Amino acid sequence: MNARVLPYVLILPVTLFLGLFFLYPFVLVAKQAFGSQEGWSLENFREVVDYWKFPISLRNTLLLAAAVVPVQLALALLMATMVSKMQKGRDLILYIWTIPLGISDLAAGIIWLAIFEQSGFLNSMLNGLGVIDKPVNFLTYQHPGVVFLAIALAEIWRATAIMLVILVAGIGLIPKEYYEAADVFGASKWKQFTRITLPMLRPSLQTALVLRVILAFEIFAVVAALGGTLFPVLMGETYAYQFDLLNSGAAAAMALIILGISIGFTLIILRILRVPKGASI
Amino acid sequence: MAEIQIKNVAKSFGAYQALNNINLTIADQEFMVLLGASGCGKSTLLRIIAGLETATSGEVWIGGKRIDHLSPKDRGIAMVFQNYAVFPHLTVFENIGFGLRMQKRPNDEVKRRVERVAGLMHIEMLLKRYSGELSGGQRQRVAVARALAMEPDVILMDEPLSNLDALLRMEMRAELKGVLAESKTTAIYVTHDQVEAMSMADRISVMHQGNIVQAASPIEVYRNPSARFVASFIGNPPMNFLPATPAGAGKWQVAGQTLDGPKADKPGLHFAIRPEDMQQAESGLVATAKIVEPLGAHLLVTCQIDEALFRVILDSDTVVKPGQTLTLAPQADRVRWFDPDTTLAVA
């Protein structure tokens, strides 16, 4: 077959697949979001944005992302650096650290619920230590901080490994000679991390952060398990519009708003972590 | 003063002995080349001096100070790496100034020193570029400039020219030699390229299987190889060898000819001579020409003497045809003799 045509033929199946199962539904959602009885309108967007829970769920989602992602980034960097320095047992540790990735987000939420609920492990432990004399229900509206903390912890536990895996691969791509040069020219281990590893890791940091930030805006099941209605987030509201209020126009509008926020943050991350022309490895 | 002393340095990687008890003194401002085939231990020795590798035993002294327990940055050295290791995320300016920045030098000093060495290496116009925008030769210049900017006591170079094409290598060879002589630093230069070693070195240490076989000036290494390995490693084509049997006191029988030789009490020696030290004559070794290669400047003839292959370099005007019989006389003062048992030179 013609060598110029072949690549296009080879990507045809996946293009068709994405067109059928991604692009087409996306167009339908967009039509729904912008549609109303009188044709095109922003009515659905106005409705969801004006709703009293919208600012709260937007703020909660952003707050959660702002609390979780930096911690995950720092942890993932630390863990990736540790794994990369290991001589033996490196794969084993990596597998163990990535176990939470294999658990669904709802299951992860339920695991942490088992820790924080009234009859949960945390209560048993505090009771056993004599810190409290009767079980406390932490996950209520009286303890918004604890609810937030529980959700954040569950998210950190569940989804740090996805960044870890990307960063470990990225660190592995940095040639050893750069560190030797840095050693000879007087860079301390910390300086080597900040002046060599971090800048040379930019492409991997981009990927890891984009992926993680997008997932952070889509947070749903962990919140549903731990916070229920106490802690409204954007994706939870979208679910409520679609299945509780049976307002698919509003749900579609919410979905597009979340998409817009994700695209916005992706562009910001790509911009901040861009590699200047000619400066890649 | 930056005299380097290597005392009884040995290095093993598990069961593999990479270096055996190396002793070497390199004078202040000397240009020392470590020459050998890959796997001979030359890079390992350099990396031990740099502090990138730890010796299993032995000591390294620079300028009268023992430094083998110090980290690389405290040894007063700078290094040029084989793959340059020019940081891709920094501009040429920041690459050259990297070491100075790590020493927290003031901005104006960094600028002054970077610009000075960039001038020396003719890369002033590249200071704002990233390494991805440079050619191999330019990257090489940046790597050398980065080392020079440190104004180190010692510059270590690990096959710095091996990734360049032949023409560029020749050009950089001469330039590097000049720049280093001017900088008055002691230099250790690792290479497997004997032409590089011969043309640049004040002294060459020929290494083989973790040992320094000979450490001497280039011409000494070439004229008076201390061992058969050196004789066959240096020179292109290398020295010729023929077996010799005793024929009375100080006389040796070589391919049917009786030649003057050492008064050694040995059952046999190896006669050795460089290809260019043979001339066609009335009497001498009788050889049959096999392959004739006109190389422009001269004529390389591969011939056969008894069972052994033997190469001679003759004047380019000489007419020789394959199959022709040549009578070749060795230039007496250029003949060398080696002991077949110890492989060492016999005087």
Side-chain angles (χ1 to χ4, degrees):
Chain A
M1 187 177 288
N2 191 329
R4 285 177 54 187
V5 181
L6 186 64
Y8 297 100
V9 173
L10 291 177
I11 62 165
L12 190 64
V14 78
T15 311
L16 283 177
F17 181 88
L18 286 175
L20 192 61
F21 292 105
F22 181 78
L23 203 59
Y24 178 63
F26 175 77
V27 171
L28 289 186
V29 167
K31 260 168 90 173
Q32 231 168 10
F34 289 102
S36 71
Q37 278 94 349
E38 308 94 50
W40 299 105
S41 87
L42 293 173
E43 194 46 49
N44 287 320
F45 290 91
R46 203 167 299 132
E47 183 186 338
V48 298
V49 172
D50 285 345
Y51 186 48
W52 67 273
K53 270 175 111 177
F54 181 81
I56 302 171
S57 54
L58 178 63
R59 194 197 61 200
N60 283 346
T61 307
L62 291 176
L63 266 181
L64 205 53
V68 168
V69 175
V71 175
Q72 286 184 320
L73 178 64
L75 270 178
L77 276 170
L78 180 70
M79 290 156 83
T81 313
M82 284 160 67
V83 167
S84 308
K85 295 247 189 290
M86 288 179 72
Q87 308 281 344
K88 263 187 265 177
R90 182 195 142 114
D91 289 351
L92 182 71
I93 294 290
L94 208 51
Y95 285 137
I96 292 174
W97 279 354
T98 47
I99 285 174
L101 274 188
I103 295 170
S104 84
D105 45 357
L106 184 58
I110 291 170
I111 289 172
W112 284 82
L113 183 63
I115 297 173
F116 280 98
E117 69 182 345
Q118 198 158 8
S119 55
F121 298 118
L122 184 62
N123 265 304
S124 318
M125 197 179 79
L126 292 177
N127 202 1
L129 290 171
V131 180
I132 52 174
D133 45 6
K134 64 180 188 343
V136 184
N137 192 355
F138 293 112
L139 302 173
T140 65
Y141 70 94
Q142 286 119 319
H143 304 109
V146 181
V147 174
F148 183 83
L149 188 73
I151 296 170
L153 276 176
E155 266 300 276
I156 290 166
W157 176 80
R158 185 183 73 81
T160 301
I162 185 74
M163 297 180 91
L164 170 69
V165 175
I166 296 168
L167 296 184
V168 166
I171 287 177
L173 288 176
I174 303 175
K176 220 178 82 211
E177 241 183 12
Y178 292 125
Y179 292 103
E180 293 188 340
D183 245 340
V184 167
F185 290 100
S188 64
K189 291 291 168 208
W190 175 248
K191 279 266 185 247
Q192 291 182 22
F193 180 72
T194 57
R195 299 286 309 262
I196 312 287
T197 308
L198 279 186
M200 294 185 79
L201 205 53
R202 273 182 298 196
S204 307
L205 284 173
Q206 269 184 351
T207 313
L209 273 175
V210 165
L211 206 61
R212 194 51 214 116
V213 166
I214 289 175
L215 288 174
F217 291 132
E218 291 172 358
I219 187 167
F220 174 59
V222 170
V223 173
L226 287 165
T229 51
L230 293 173
F231 193 82
V233 288
L234 290 175
M235 202 47 104
E237 292 312 293
T238 312
Y239 181 89
Y241 275 120
Q242 178 73 31
F243 295 104
D244 300 340
L245 305 172
L246 302 177
N247 184 349
S248 48
M254 283 294 280
L256 287 191
I257 289 172
I258 296 170
L259 178 68
I261 296 174
S262 296
I263 291 175
F265 273 90
T266 301
L267 292 177
I268 291 171
I269 292 166
L270 291 181
R271 176 75 190 158
I272 291 175
L273 293 174
R274 77 188 183 287
V275 178
K277 191 172 157 282
S280 51
I281 296 177
Chain B
M1 278 297 285
E3 183 191 70
I4 303 168
Q5 285 175 297
I6 295 153
K7 300 181 182 174
N8 302 318
V9 164
K11 173 75 182 173
S12 51
F13 296 100
Y16 176 69
Q17 191 75 22
L19 289 175
N20 303 311
N21 208 34
I22 299 286
N23 282 289
L24 186 65
T25 301
I26 299 156
D28 183 38
Q29 298 186 27
E30 187 174 25
F31 193 124
M32 170 63 88
V33 170
L34 303 180
L35 174 67
S38 42
C40 72
K42 56 192 193 299
S43 285
T44 306
L45 182 57
L46 191 81
R47 291 170 62 83
I48 286 173
I49 299 167
L52 296 171
E53 207 84 68
T54 315
T56 311
S57 59
E59 299 172 4
V60 182
W61 295 63
I62 294 180
K65 203 173 94 183
R66 186 170 172 190
I67 52 100
D68 49 77
H69 56 285
L70 299 179
S71 73
K73 68 172 166 30
D74 300 322
R75 296 184 175 205
I77 54 153
M79 188 159 170
V80 181
F81 291 84
Q82 184 172 7
N83 300 318
Y84 321 132
V86 172
F87 301 121
H89 60 288
L90 300 179
T91 59
V92 168
F93 183 98
E94 286 304 329
N95 261 290
I96 299 175
F98 186 85
L100 302 172
R101 294 265 191 236
M102 290 301 127
Q103 293 177 347
K104 298 196 164 54
R105 304 270 178 175
N107 273 331
D108 53 334
E109 185 189 345
V110 173
K111 188 167 184 296
R112 184 170 48 76
R113 283 167 72 168
V114 168
E115 280 170 358
R116 190 184 71 84
V117 293
L120 274 179
M121 297 308 296
H122 310 295
I123 47 173
E124 313 92 311
M125 62 299 182
L126 303 175
L127 288 176
K128 289 198 176 75
R129 301 244 194 117
Y130 288 102
S131 80
E133 301 165 294
L134 305 179
S135 68
Q138 290 170 332
R139 267 181 234 183
Q140 177 56 56
R141 286 167 185 276
V142 175
V144 175
R146 180 172 63 180
L148 289 173
M150 302 295 288
E151 293 169 13
D153 299 328
V154 178
I155 285 195
L156 307 173
M157 285 170 280
D158 189 4
E159 310 236 12
L161 304 183
S162 64
N163 288 346
L164 303 181
D165 63 60
L167 202 65
L168 203 55
R169 204 180 309 159
M170 207 157 85
E171 190 187 306
M172 279 299 287
R173 207 162 70 197
E175 202 174 320
L176 254 185
K177 188 175 174 172
V179 167
L180 284 169
E182 198 138 317
S183 72
K184 300 198 189 315
T185 47
T186 311
I188 306 182
Y189 186 106
V190 162
T191 182
H192 62 270
D193 182 334
Q194 51 165 303
V195 181
E196 232 168 82
M198 296 291 286
S199 66
M200 296 176 87
D202 292 326
R203 235 169 11 126
I204 299 176
S205 293
V206 183
M207 295 188 65
H208 183 49
Q209 294 179 346
N211 296 299
I212 292 180
V213 187
Q214 185 172 14
S217 71
I219 199 68
E220 177 72 9
V221 166
Y222 188 77
R223 284 278 169 250
N224 297 313
S226 67
R228 188 170 159 156
F229 171 77
V230 180
S232 54
F233 187 73
I234 306 269
N236 187 22
M239 261 187 159
N240 292 300
F241 299 96
L242 289 172
T245 49
K251 300 280 180 196
W252 295 85
Q253 180 91 4
V254 179
Q257 288 289 309
T258 306
L259 299 172
D260 288 334
K263 295 183 179 63
D265 182 23
K266 296 275 179 188
L269 286 180
H270 282 140
F271 157 89
I273 185 107
R274 293 229 170 255
E276 68 271 26
D277 295 332
M278 303 287 290
Q279 277 116 31
Q280 281 188 286
E282 294 294 308
S283 71
L285 306 174
V286 180
T288 314
K290 290 278 177 197
I291 304 162
V292 181
E293 298 168 75
L295 298 178
H298 48 249
L299 190 71
L300 174 63
V301 184
T302 306
C303 31
Q304 196 172 349
I305 297 182
D306 291 341
E307 291 301 292
L309 282 182
F310 199 93
R311 290 195 187 85
V312 283
I313 289 175
L314 301 174
D315 193 87
S316 57
D317 296 335
T318 323
V319 182
V320 180
K321 290 203 164 49
Q324 186 182 330
T325 302
L326 302 172
T327 308
L328 300 163
Q331 197 179 320
D333 62 335
R334 294 283 167 84
V335 174
R336 298 292 176 265
W337 303 86
F338 293 93
D339 185 330
D341 300 325
T342 64
T343 78
L344 297 179
V346 179

